[in-house]
Amino acid sequence: MDSFDYVIVGAGTAGSVVANRLSADGKSTVLVLEAGGSDRTVWIQLPIGYGRTFFDRSINWMYDTEAEPNLGGRISYWPRGKVIGGSGSINAMVYVRGQPHDFDQWQAMGNPGWGWDEVLPFFRKSEDHDHGASPYHGAGGPIHVTDITRRAHPLCQDFIKTGEALGFAHTDDFNGPSPEGVGIYQINTDKGLRASSANAFLRPALKRSNVALRTKAQVTRILFEGQQATGVEYRRGGQTVQVKARREVILCGGAINSPQLLQLSGIGEAAHLASLGISPVLNAPAVGRNMQDHLAVSYFYRSRRPTLNDELGPLLGKVKAGIHYLWNRGGPLSMSVNQGGGFVRSDPDQPFPNLQLYFSPVSYTKTPLSERKLMNPDPFSAFLLSFNACKPTSRGSLKIVSADPLAYPSIQPNYLSTDKDIQEAMVGNRLLRTVASTKPLADIITEELVPGAHLQTDEELLEDFRQRADTVYHPVGTCMMGADPTLSVVDARLRVHGIKGLRVIDASIFPTVTSGNTNAPTVMVAEKGAAMVLEDRVQ
Ligand SMILES: Cc1cc2nc3c(=O)[nH]c(=O)nc-3n(C[C@H](O)[C@H](O)[C@H](O)COP(=O)(O)OP(=O)(O)OC[C@H]3O[C@@H](n4cnc5c(N)ncnc54)[C@H](O)[C@@H]3O)c2cc1C
């Protein structure tokens, strides 16, 4: 049997970081097993290309949730990257760390070392920020962070002025000393190309002789001797192969696949596993529970002023955008469509910003936003505003439904299942209406296209939210970090409770979802997790 010091499952956002850091000193051998294949396609590397990868089964797991009772029985479509770089190869690249209190909350939940002051150095370590080093930002790290303020669509400034008119602060850095307020999102791009973890961390690591990557290799089972993980079994090209991990098996499969693999391997609720014919290795009922996600809704507005629709819609506009990109890797193709936004308090009594806003100078009312025809927006000038609660309190779960490792698990997000989440949906709806009716945006808007002025009461808008709100693709928490093995899956050093030689290092360990997009905090988790693996390494 092949053997390596560390076997990493998944070459996504976190796995790429871990592979790099564990191999850097040349003292350990590292194998990365990735179920998907190459990320060398234009639609992954070109920033705007994420519209095209959204439904591409060749690089995307394409999960569906169960019917959601509080969203009118709708099924939510959950794209997840099945490719080198994982979801970080198909995401919208927005770089947001979250609010400092998110991490102080992690620490207060029984996770020493995860408070804001302790995690900030790991955010900085990974970073190569456009504006260089500062107490808040890193320079010279692997992953580039681009400030698009000067390149964002001019209407973003009208959104910011509107926010200021409503009393919100204007922040020039959501990841700096004043993360609250309205402003322009930073993004993970580098010289006009996607700066995924794969590009930033994995590719350089693969130049080292002590790192191996096997693609199209889907791990189906963790191998154990008693309560010690000793390796994994994977399928590749019709073959079933076993590989030994001399030191540790590290799961970086993400918030769906890491808990799925634990359950398939006998770590989960013992009765459930036994009912599927899986011999339990450890009764761990928390595996797959504590699922959290951001749920957003968009309001669409017809605009008197040109928007990205006018640049990206017409054939001539597409050609111009293409030439602009080829000329200096600039223009709309080099960016996300999520350009303006904010972290605001719906009322001054909120202890922290409780709503995240998006202002995207583009609209898709003719094709559902969920189809992500980013290069085919509406044939008229329009834009969208959207919001999601920063810290939803609804909790979902994930369960395997078969012992077949290739069968998809059952995903039940349980959106909008608490009063707090329902209340925040209502205040968020109202806030979008208030933003749209405040100058200067009010003077630019000619009509609310969706949901439309015929809906006025809170109840009508809540019903609209139930009919249209959808995931922002931020599932986390399904292998929760915590001290109590009955409620959590890994300890504060990311070791699976009760099992030796097995860690989970990815977005599934978040105890609570951060107040923003989840890629940057996943990179931080991977940086800190890798540092702990190295500290614990037996020489
Ligand atoms: C469409 C979309 C848009 C998003 N936009 C943003 C954004 O703008 N900003 C932001 O911050 N976040 C965004 N996110 C979320 C962010 O990308 C994720 O939170 C982050 O990538 C999670 O990283 P991860 O390492 O936990 O999982 P992933 O990056 O998903 O990596 C998991 C990897 O493991 C592999 N794998 C899984 N199971 C196995 C197995 N059994 N064997 C072998 N390999 C396996 C997968 O194929 C995948 O490559 C978005 C996500 C999506 C899908």
Side-chain angles (χ1 to χ4, degrees):
M1 198 194 301
D2 245 359
S3 74
F4 294 81
D5 291 322
Y6 299 105
V7 175
I8 297 172
V9 180
T13 295
S16 298
V17 177
V18 175
N20 184 312
R21 297 307 189 193
L22 294 190
S23 60
D25 66 7
K27 291 184 185 163
S28 310
T29 56
V30 173
L31 172 66
V32 188
L33 295 168
E34 168 55 47
S38 170
D39 61 344
R40 292 273 196 214
T41 84
V42 66
W43 301 121
I44 288 179
Q45 302 303 336
L46 179 74
I48 197 94
Y50 68 96
R52 295 292 283 269
T53 55
F54 198 76
F55 280 116
D56 183 346
R57 194 167 283 284
S58 70
I59 54 170
N60 191 328
W61 293 90
M62 297 185 68
Y63 290 113
D64 280 329
T65 69
E66 301 296 328
E68 277 295 281
N70 302 317
L71 299 185
R74 287 182 300 130
I75 287 167
S76 177
Y77 167 60
W78 282 17
R80 296 274 98 198
K82 184 183 185 182
V83 62
I84 291 176
S87 301
S89 281
I90 64 166
N91 71 13
M93 296 155 293
V94 172
Y95 180 85
V96 171
R97 295 169 172 178
Q99 303 280 323
H101 73 90
D102 292 327
F103 305 97
D104 292 338
Q105 183 193 36
W106 289 13
Q107 175 149 276
M109 289 170 77
N111 299 298
W114 289 90
W116 172 246
D117 292 342
E118 288 90 344
V119 302
L120 177 58
F122 292 99
F123 278 113
R124 291 184 72 249
K125 182 178 182 190
S126 62
E127 202 183 19
D128 182 36
H129 197 274
D130 248 359
H131 298 311
S134 70
Y136 281 82
H137 289 291
I143 200 154
H144 194 76
V145 178
T146 303
D147 177 355
I148 59 160
T149 304
R150 277 185 292 147
R151 291 191 279 135
H153 193 279
L155 275 181
C156 294
Q157 292 306 328
D158 296 283
F159 164 75
I160 291 170
K161 284 185 193 130
T162 302
E164 288 180 300
L166 287 168
F168 299 133
H170 173 196
T171 177
D172 59 2
D173 185 357
F174 290 126
N175 303 300
S178 310
E180 181 172 352
V182 289
I184 305 285
Y185 287 120
Q186 299 167 356
I187 56 171
N188 278 129
T189 57
D190 193 4
K191 302 182 188 73
L193 294 171
R194 172 183 292 273
S196 63
S197 278
N199 285 338
F201 290 90
L202 185 62
R203 246 172 212 110
L206 289 173
K207 297 197 176 117
R208 301 174 189 146
S209 60
N210 55 330
V211 184
L213 167 69
R214 292 180 193 156
T215 54
K216 308 250 171 182
Q218 182 163 344
V219 176
T220 49
R221 187 157 75 95
I222 303 162
L223 305 173
F224 299 98
E225 278 171 20
Q227 308 294 99
Q228 165 88 41
T230 54
V232 301
E233 188 170 276
Y234 65 92
R235 289 198 195 163
R236 193 183 197 210
Q239 307 263 307
T240 300
V241 185
Q242 294 196 341
V243 61
K244 186 174 161 50
R246 285 190 293 265
R247 286 179 173 144
E248 294 193 29
V249 173
I250 301 173
L251 304 191
C252 301
I256 310 303
N257 295 58
S258 286
Q260 179 201 26
L261 185 59
L262 285 175
Q263 292 179 11
L264 286 168
S265 308
I267 300 178
E269 189 182 359
H272 171 61
L273 301 184
S275 74
L276 299 174
I278 297 171
S279 309
V281 172
L282 182 79
N283 181 28
V287 174
R289 296 196 184 153
N290 190 48
M291 174 183 280
Q292 300 168 46
D293 189 20
H294 289 135
L295 180 70
V297 76
S298 297
Y299 281 38
F300 296 88
Y301 294 94
R302 200 182 270 271
S303 164
R304 283 182 217 284
R305 299 235 310 264
T307 66
L308 269 184
N309 292 8
D310 304 273
E311 289 178 50
L312 292 177
L315 182 61
L316 186 62
K318 286 187 177 62
V319 171
K320 271 191 188 161
I323 292 171
H324 188 169
Y325 185 78
L326 291 174
W327 177 248
N328 64 1
R329 297 262 178 99
L333 307 194
S334 68
M335 285 185 275
S336 174
V337 297
N338 300 327
Q339 299 186 356
F343 294 89
V344 300
R345 297 175 206 230
S346 57
D347 64 84
D349 293 337
Q350 291 291 333
F352 303 108
N354 62 324
L355 297 177
Q356 178 172 5
L357 303 177
Y358 291 94
F359 174 83
S360 302
V362 65
S363 75
Y364 312 93
T365 57
K366 300 291 169 206
T367 52
L369 182 62
S370 56
E371 285 182 20
R372 290 255 162 166
K373 305 269 186 205
L374 299 186
M375 291 293 284
N376 292 305
D378 287 331
F380 46 81
S381 309
F383 58 79
L384 69 83
L385 284 169
S386 54
F387 81 93
N388 60 259
C390 289
K391 303 286 278 186
T393 49
S394 299
R395 299 288 181 262
S397 62
L398 172 150
K399 267 187 180 177
I400 54 170
V401 292
S402 153
D404 174 1
L406 305 187
Y408 278 17
S410 162
I411 301 170
Q412 184 91 64
N414 235 353
Y415 291 124
L416 233 50
S417 54
T418 65
D419 283 346
K420 175 183 177 282
D421 292 0
I422 293 170
Q423 288 306 318
E424 280 189 328
M426 298 214 270
V427 294
N429 287 333
R430 280 275 153 233
L431 178 62
L432 292 193
R433 282 273 170 88
T434 306
V435 171
S437 59
T438 302
K439 291 180 181 187
L441 273 192
D443 287 341
I444 294 166
I445 292 171
T446 59
E447 182 191 358
E448 183 179 281
L449 295 163
V450 179
H454 62 290
L455 301 186
Q456 279 303 327
T457 66
D458 282 345
E459 290 68 31
E460 287 168 340
L461 292 175
L462 178 61
E463 185 50 30
D464 170 70
F465 188 94
R466 292 188 192 279
Q467 294 302 328
R468 293 194 306 112
D470 215 342
T471 176
V472 198
Y473 325 111
H474 295 163
V476 301
T478 46
C479 297
M480 176 185 175
M481 170 172 67
D484 181 347
T486 61
L487 299 175
S488 61
V489 177
V490 297
D491 66 13
R493 297 189 74 74
L494 308 186
R495 299 172 296 208
V496 174
H497 291 299
I499 300 284
K500 291 202 179 82
L502 182 62
R503 286 190 218 235
V504 184
I505 306 183
D506 60 26
S508 70
I509 69 93
F510 290 21
T512 55
V513 70
T514 47
S515 298
N517 313 64
T518 45
N519 199 70
T522 304
V523 171
M524 177 280 289
V525 163
E527 287 278 21
K528 189 165 166 62
M532 292 190 292
V533 174
L534 289 175
E535 281 163 15
D536 294 348
R537 184 168 59 181
V538 182
Q539 298 299 331

